[in-house]
């Protein structure tokens, strides 16, 4: 099976569906690397929302870890939506030699099925014309 | 909330600035994923999700931490939280190494009201040790100025009468002492002259003359009241009209009695004094009948 960071990961682990078995605290080394890495979300913003939830971080690296996790969460959804967008584009029978134009627009029609895979159901109301 | 014209409080500004930052973050993540543009609704959805994701991590991590009787969340709490939320923790380092591109500056909203230098007056009190530093400062020292108000003066009748009586006694004493010091004095004691000085009496050559003749004032009063009938003929006050006594207060009493006569003459006819004190009633003179 795949071994990374000394933790056994079963080969059937899909993207976020199966919780891996943890034998040691992961990310300890990663936390040390976080000192010089600045995630996209500023520390102040993440810290603000954490404080509102009652979470007072003692270590600023913890905040960066959480903001990275949140970023990854959104990135994964965005990538899934992109896949949907690309599938719709190429499935409609456009010419093969010309690749799908690079301008992808994220629409609710792409986002909804991507979120549905995560178990999040969004229903936007139809606006009256 | 988004672009409305309502007045925003500093707390709202604080909140909105961070919300906008999250939107920018979401937009940058979408750009990273390969999107050129996005629907506003989609961006809003993702922003909302991002905010609630962060909040949920915070709440859940705190709960796990408190579940083990601690107050400071640690890395393990967060890992457990992420695992519980269905997040694959293993993939995180890979993700971090992959996307090292976009960094957004923190929102610079500072809405703390700062009193300008011209308005501050004096040094504020520093915080005592038990107050954390991030609390607001104490106000200016003129906040603590107190003006004490005095109690209402006592208007009790008895107290007032006592006060009036003691004041009157003090005044009489002072006056007689003054007269003794400035005028001639007699003494009761043979050797000691200065301890109890008495105002010297001035004897008249014909002592009984003043007793027989009415004074000027009395002449006036007699003419005024000659026509009215007098019912009571009580002579309540002993009128020492001559000065031949040792009483140190006699002179003053005489003057005060004469004043009383002149002031109360008009009120004698039919009017009653409010205070029915025999010593304060007006003097009743014996009626003098003139033979016409």
């Amino acid at each position: 099976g795949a071994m990374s960071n000394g933790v056994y990961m079963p080969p059937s682990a899909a993207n976020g569906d199966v919780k891996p078995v943890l034998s040691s605290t992961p990310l300890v080394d990663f936390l040390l690397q976080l000192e010089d890495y600045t995630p996209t979300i500023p520390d102040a913003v993440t810290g603000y929302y954490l404080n509102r939830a009652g979470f007072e971080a003692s270590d600023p690296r913890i905040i960066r870890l959480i903001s990275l996790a949140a970023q990854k969460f959104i990135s994964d959804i965005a990538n899934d939506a992109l896949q949907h967008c690309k599938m719709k584009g190429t499935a409609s029978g456009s010419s093969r030699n010309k690749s799908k134009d690079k301008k992808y627009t994220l629409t609710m029609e792409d986002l909804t099925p991507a979120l549905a895979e995560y178990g999040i159901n969004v229903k936007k109301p139809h606006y009256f014309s | 909330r988004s672009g409305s014209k309502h007045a925003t409080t500093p707390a709202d500004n604080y909140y909105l600035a961070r919300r906008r930052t999250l939107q920018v973050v979401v937009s940058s993540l979408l750009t990273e994923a390969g999107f050129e543009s996005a629907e506003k609704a989609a961006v809003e959805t993702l922003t909302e999700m991002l905010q609630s994701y962060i909040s949920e991590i915070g709440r859940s991590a705190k709960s796990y931490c408190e579940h083990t009787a601690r107050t400071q969340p640690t890395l393990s709490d967060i890992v457990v939280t992420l695992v519980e939320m269905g997040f694959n923790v293993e993939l995180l380092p890979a993700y971090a190494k992959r996307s090292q591109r976009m960094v957004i500056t923190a929102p610079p909203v500072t809405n703390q009201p700062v009193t300008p230098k011209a308005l501050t007056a004096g040094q504020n009190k520093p915080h005592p040790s038990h107050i954390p530093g991030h609390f607001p400062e104490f106000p200016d020292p003129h906040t603590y100025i107190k003006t004490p108000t005095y109690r209402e003066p006592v208007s009790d009748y008895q107290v007032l009468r006592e006060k009036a009586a003691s004041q009157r006694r003090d005044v009489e004493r002072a006056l007689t002492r003054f007269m003794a010091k400035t005028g001639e004095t007699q003494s009761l004691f043979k050797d000691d002259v200065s301890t109890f000085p008495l105002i010297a009496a001035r004897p008249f050559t014909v002592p009984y003359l003043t007793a027989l003749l009415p004074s000027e004032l009395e002449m006036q009063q007699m003419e005024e009241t000659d026509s009215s009938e007098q019912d009571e003929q009580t002579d309540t006050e002993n009128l020492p009209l001559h000065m031949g006594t040792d009483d140190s207060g006699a002179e003053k009493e005489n003057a005060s009695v004469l004043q009383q006569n002149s002031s109360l003459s008009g009120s004698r006819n039919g009017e009653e004094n409010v205070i029915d004190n025999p010593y304060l009633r007006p003097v009743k003179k014996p009626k003098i009948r003139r033979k016409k």
Side-chain angles (χ1 to χ4, degrees), chain B:
Chain B
R1 211 175 41 189
S2 56
S4 63
K5 296 258 182 191
H6 302 136
T8 52
T9 69
D12 285 343
N13 285 343
Y14 209 69
Y15 166 75
L16 281 174
R18 276 144 183 78
R19 182 88 180 182
R20 267 179 257 132
T21 312
L22 280 189
Q23 266 193 352
V24 172
V25 166
V26 164
S27 307
S28 76
L29 287 176
L30 288 176
T31 311
E32 229 183 274
F35 285 103
E36 283 281 330
S37 55
E39 275 182 4
K40 190 161 194 323
V43 172
E44 282 285 339
T45 308
L46 287 178
T47 310
E48 183 66 36
M49 285 171 54
L50 182 58
Q51 177 187 330
S52 89
Y53 198 75
I54 296 178
S55 307
E56 177 59 27
I57 291 181
R59 187 208 64 80
S60 184
K62 181 79 174 168
S63 300
Y64 273 111
C65 149
E66 284 175 350
H67 184 67
T68 58
R70 281 178 289 123
T71 53
Q72 289 260 330
T74 68
L75 177 63
S76 322
D77 300 321
I78 297 172
V79 167
V80 171
T81 302
L82 290 173
V83 163
E84 195 225 358
M85 289 172 77
F87 190 84
N88 194 345
V89 190
E90 306 305 311
L91 304 177
L92 196 53
Y95 173 79
K97 290 189 176 59
R98 187 200 59 170
S99 62
Q100 296 230 12
R101 265 174 269 169
M102 305 199 195
V103 174
I104 301 176
T105 57
V109 170
T110 48
N111 266 319
Q112 256 202 354
V114 179
T115 54
K117 290 277 185 201
L119 287 182
T120 55
Q123 284 277 355
N124 295 351
K125 244 171 62 172
H127 278 176
S129 57
H130 60 270
I131 296 182
H134 58 268
F135 275 40
E137 282 188 16
F138 278 115
D140 285 340
H142 67 262
T143 314
Y144 305 106
I145 298 180
K146 290 191 279 198
T147 311
T149 57
Y150 297 100
R151 292 199 326 208
E152 222 179 83
V154 183
S155 57
D156 187 23
Y157 175 75
Q158 179 177 350
V159 174
L160 281 182
R161 279 302 290 269
E162 285 178 10
K163 270 193 188 172
S166 64
Q167 266 188 1
R168 190 170 158 206
R169 180 195 59 189
D170 291 339
V171 164
E172 286 180 11
R173 264 177 61 190
L175 183 57
T176 53
R177 284 232 177 110
F178 174 71
M179 294 197 63
K181 287 230 160 67
T182 53
E184 289 182 21
T185 59
Q186 280 178 348
S187 175
L188 287 176
F189 308 109
K190 195 170 61 163
D191 304 325
D192 190 3
V193 184
S194 60
T195 315
F196 295 102
L198 302 171
I199 304 175
R202 286 180 284 157
F204 288 92
T205 46
V206 187
Y208 48 84
L209 191 62
T210 51
L212 294 178
L213 294 178
S215 63
E216 295 284 332
L217 291 170
E218 287 180 331
M219 294 275 281
Q220 287 177 7
Q221 287 165 19
M222 280 192 312
E223 289 184 8
E224 287 167 12
T225 62
D226 196 18
S227 53
S228 66
E229 288 281 325
Q230 291 196 44
D231 299 329
E232 290 140 32
Q233 308 235 346
T234 53
D235 198 7
T236 56
E237 279 196 65
N238 194 13
L239 302 177
L241 292 177
H242 61 282
M243 311 267 215
T245 66
D246 296 0
D247 192 2
S248 58
E251 206 175 56
K252 186 169 182 303
E253 196 176 331
N254 192 18
S256 67
V257 163
L258 284 180
Q259 278 178 4
Q260 254 185 2
N261 280 342
S262 60
S263 63
L264 293 178
S265 62
S267 63
R268 244 194 310 181
N269 310 327
E271 275 184 32
E272 282 186 12
N273 266 348
V274 179
I275 306 172
D276 196 16
N277 188 340
Y279 296 100
L280 296 179
R281 276 194 222 137
V283 175
K284 305 273 193 240
K285 302 286 297 167
K287 192 176 164 192
I288 295 178
R289 296 183 187 271
R290 277 200 192 161
K291 302 228 163 59
K292 288 192 180 170

